Amino acid sequence: MSSSVAVKPAPSQLKATQPKRKARKLPPGQRLLRYIGLSSILLLALGGSTYIHLGPKAVGGETGSAGSAEAAIAPPPITLTQDLDQLQSKLVQCAAVKALKAGIFVTDQSTGRYVNVNGHDAFPAASMIKLPVYVALLEAIDRGTVKPDQMLEIRQDLVTGGSGWLQWRPVGSKISVRDTAELMIIISDNTATNMIIDLLGGKEACNREFQNWGLERTHIANWLGDFEGTNTTSPYDLVYLLARVDRGELISPDSKKWMYQVMGRTKIRTLLPPGLGPGAKIAHKTGDIGCMVGDVGIVTAPTGQKYFVSVQVQRPHNDRRANLLIRGLSRMIYQCFSTPTADGAQIAELPGDCQGGTPAGPGRPVHHSRHHHHHA
């Protein structure tokens, strides 16, 4: 028994056989109402996401450069409402040490208080560049393009001197992404950092990420160790980055938890930590080359008061007065920011670290036999 199946004409065939009908043009008034309605719908759709990115402009700096769509719509991670003039003037006085230039940016989320001393200026980054590199890695892990347990190979072209011990491992050795990242932060391993930068697509790929986040002074010019200080960042950039991460942006909660745990294990604790009070905690990353020393971190006082701080000091080669200065600045900052109502007026006199003195005498740089490049 046979049956016939009706074959439905293809849309193209129907289009070819059916006569074309000219669309009826709406009257001018109806066309105007339609345009207004469409425009209203478009504005409502965009209204929830048209934030203006307030980078350095928010505190009187230069206008931010154009970045990605994300950077263009990202709201500021902290509302900066109260410039602590009294503390700032004391910090400027403390930092007035011959041949040193200090950059300081401090703020907290709960009150909007902040201090800015040359905070938007670009400084040599040294190992402080490893903080944005770490965030870029965590972002890649969250996207699934990198796995924490995948193995990386130590290649000769990525091996470098300075801090860290991967430089002494045989070329061709394998190490996991997780272990490489922890070495990069905890002991500031330069070879580990080059391996992570290479994994992320190289210097320019990292630089594009930094720009997309709104970091205007953060740039990788050379692979580590960058002992000449060609890689740059600013105190504001690093505080801004930590604030975005802390607010839940850029990386997942699990990645943020791991990041804070790793930064809490940083081995070098001779810069910001000595200025903190008993019971205070800090998750931080240091940087130390001949021409610059610095430290950036999140400090939590025993009261629960939390603030973000970054200090960088440009200096004559290996001048240890810069290290002492950061300790003094950290002490003054903690006295103020560990209390939500303090404004700096309670700092009656400058700490001894702020006088520019060293064991070699006031104003004299100290050079140690152990080359400072090992702390890059």
Side-chain angles (χ1 to χ4, degrees), residues 203-215:
K203 296 177 293 183
E204 292 310 314
C206 290
N207 289 334
R208 285 192 296 271
E209 283 290 281
F210 303 161
Q211 287 295 310
N212 290 345
W213 299 338
L215 309 185

Side-chain angles (χ1 to χ4, degrees), residues 7 24 33 37 58 64 77 98 106 140 150 177 196 200 203 214 221 254 256 266 268 308 317 322 333 348 367:
V7 179
R24 186 170 61 87
L33 289 174
K98 185 178 180 180
V106 194
Q150 75 183 73
V177 167
I196 297 296
L200 296 173
K203 296 177 293 183
D254 285 344
K256 181 174 79 169
T266 294
I268 299 174
F308 306 92
H317 189 72
I333 291 166
H367 301 282

